[in-house]
């Protein structure tokens, strides 16, 4: 496994995140040596879901308004229906996605997470994947939508669902290792 000791990863999420899509990538990145920071609307604990039922909670490290994207190498957006739907209504969350994309940094979104990419208007001409119900929104935003476990378009990484998490994690870790090697 690559050594990501200097990698700094931002995750953004709020209530309604898909449990495994936050915790499994977060743990894989930590295990690879990355520093992972979770930002949310507020710093109160946020509630995950699994199969439509309440699952684990986690306390964010900082509010969205305190995020300085210059401090991070990559952005990870977990899915869940409620999470990206609420996040796309947060002006700062949308700005964070725009800033990462404009700075040509790694952006990874899984399941319903690409809704936030649509809101930030950053998928036009990009190859992406997502949960099936999000694909029409992606196509309408100009994306080339594919049905595969992970779609990588330069530094934009997307996956469809929790079953794709191992491939999603590997793609993020590989992209970060490549970035660190070039730095």
């Amino acid at each position: 496994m690559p050594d990501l000791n200097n990698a700094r990863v931002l995750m953004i999420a709020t209530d309604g995140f898909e449990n495994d899509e936050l915790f499994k990538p977060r743990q894989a990145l930590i295990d690879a040596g990355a520093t992972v920071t979770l930002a949310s609307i507020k710093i109160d604990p946020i509630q995950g879901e699994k199969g439509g039922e309440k699952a684990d909670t986690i306390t964010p490290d900082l509010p969205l308004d305190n995020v300085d994207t210059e401090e991070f190498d990559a952005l990870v957006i977990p899915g869940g229906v409620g999470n990206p739907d609420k996040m796309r209504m947060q002006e700062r969350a949308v700005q964070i996605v725009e800033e990462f994309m404009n700075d040509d940094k790694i952006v990874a979104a899984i399941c319903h997470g690409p809704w936030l990419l649509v809101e930030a208007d950053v998928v036009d001409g990009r190859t992406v994947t997502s949960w099936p119900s999000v694909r029409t929104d992606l196509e309408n935003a100009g994306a080339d939508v594919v049905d595969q476990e992970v779609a990588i378009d330069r530094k934009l990484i997307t996956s469809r669902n929790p079953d794709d998490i191992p491939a999603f994690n590997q793609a993020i870790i590989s992209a970060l290792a490549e970035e660190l090697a070039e730095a």
Side-chain angles (χ1 to χ4, degrees), residues 70-175:
E70 295 296 317
E71 296 178 2
F72 299 97
D73 304 302
L75 172 65
V76 177
I77 306 167
V81 178
N83 172 48
D85 192 50
K86 290 175 190 142
M87 290 300 262
R88 66 193 290 197
M89 301 304 294
Q90 300 297 315
E91 183 178 348
R92 183 62 189 137
V94 175
Q95 289 171 344
I96 288 167
V97 173
E98 292 169 344
E99 290 169 18
F100 271 89
M101 293 294 289
N102 290 339
D103 291 341
D104 196 32
K105 293 183 178 182
I106 297 162
V107 175
I110 187 167
C111 199
H112 290 79
W115 259 342
L116 201 46
L117 305 176
V118 170
E119 195 68 33
D121 196 22
V122 297
V123 295
D124 191 18
R126 297 297 198 111
T127 300
V128 296
T129 192
S130 70
W131 184 258
S133 66
V134 179
R135 293 180 187 161
T136 299
D137 294 338
L138 289 164
E139 288 169 357
N140 289 340
D144 176 23
V145 179
V146 295
D147 184 9
Q148 57 196 48
E149 65 181 357
V150 66
I152 302 171
D153 185 323
R154 292 168 289 192
K155 295 181 183 173
L156 180 59
I157 300 165
T158 51
S159 285
R160 302 172 299 191
N161 59 55
D163 293 339
D164 299 338
I165 291 171
F168 183 66
N169 291 350
Q170 186 54 53
I172 298 167
I173 290 168
S174 295

Side-chain angles (χ1 to χ4, degrees), residues 2-10 29-37 70-74 105-106 173 175-183:
D3 179 5
L4 302 181
N5 281 337
N6 294 319
R8 299 157 305 161
V9 179
L10 176 68
L29 287 160
I30 290 169
D31 290 348
T35 300
V36 180
T37 301
E70 295 296 317
E71 296 178 2
F72 299 97
D73 304 302
K105 293 183 178 182
I106 297 162
I173 290 168
L176 276 166
E178 192 174 309
E179 283 289 300
L180 293 175
E182 292 173 6

Side-chain angles (χ1 to χ4, degrees), residues 44-94:
D44 298 326
I46 57 175
Q47 179 75 58
E49 293 182 0
K50 191 168 186 163
E53 300 295 320
K54 289 187 180 200
D56 298 320
T57 60
I58 186 169
T59 301
D61 300 298
L62 74 161
L64 293 171
D65 289 339
N66 290 6
V67 170
D68 178 356
T69 58
E70 295 296 317
E71 296 178 2
F72 299 97
D73 304 302
L75 172 65
V76 177
I77 306 167
V81 178
N83 172 48
D85 192 50
K86 290 175 190 142
M87 290 300 262
R88 66 193 290 197
M89 301 304 294
Q90 300 297 315
E91 183 178 348
R92 183 62 189 137
V94 175

